[in-house]
Amino acid sequence: MATLPSSTAQANDRPADIDAARCIACGGPNGCAMAASGQAADAAACWCMAPGAVDRAALAAIPTALRGRACLCARCAVAASIIGPSISP
């Protein structure tokens, strides 16, 4: 699973400068089902829930300060070697 907040309350606490519909690595659309609907229950239907959809190294490349604020897009979720150096808080 990508870096989805665990509840709608957490999603509403996201700083205004973070767009939950944008990839936290590249800034492109992330396709997050929860961000689209605003409902934590929709996370189960997201593309990132498919087995193998998100590389653990891609998640590890996200700085701690940015985790849980927005999701990766499908491209960045498998491209840890590409996004690792470019993500900054």
Side-chain angles (χ1 to χ4, degrees):
M1 181 172 140
T3 57
L4 293 172
S6 61
S7 72
T8 303
Q10 285 178 325
N12 292 337
D13 291 339
R14 184 178 294 110
D17 62 329
I18 302 287
D19 183 349
R22 296 277 168 196
C23 175
I24 202 154
C26 73
N30 61 20
C32 178
M34 191 176 105
S37 72
Q39 301 296 316
D42 291 333
C46 196
W47 65 267
C48 70
M49 298 303 287
V54 181
D55 186 315
R56 289 179 191 263
L59 290 178
I62 299 170
T64 304
L66 297 177
R67 292 180 187 177
R69 295 189 174 191
C71 298
L72 295 168
C73 68
R75 188 180 120 250
C76 290
V78 297
S81 62
I82 296 169
I83 65 168
S86 66
I87 301 176
S88 59

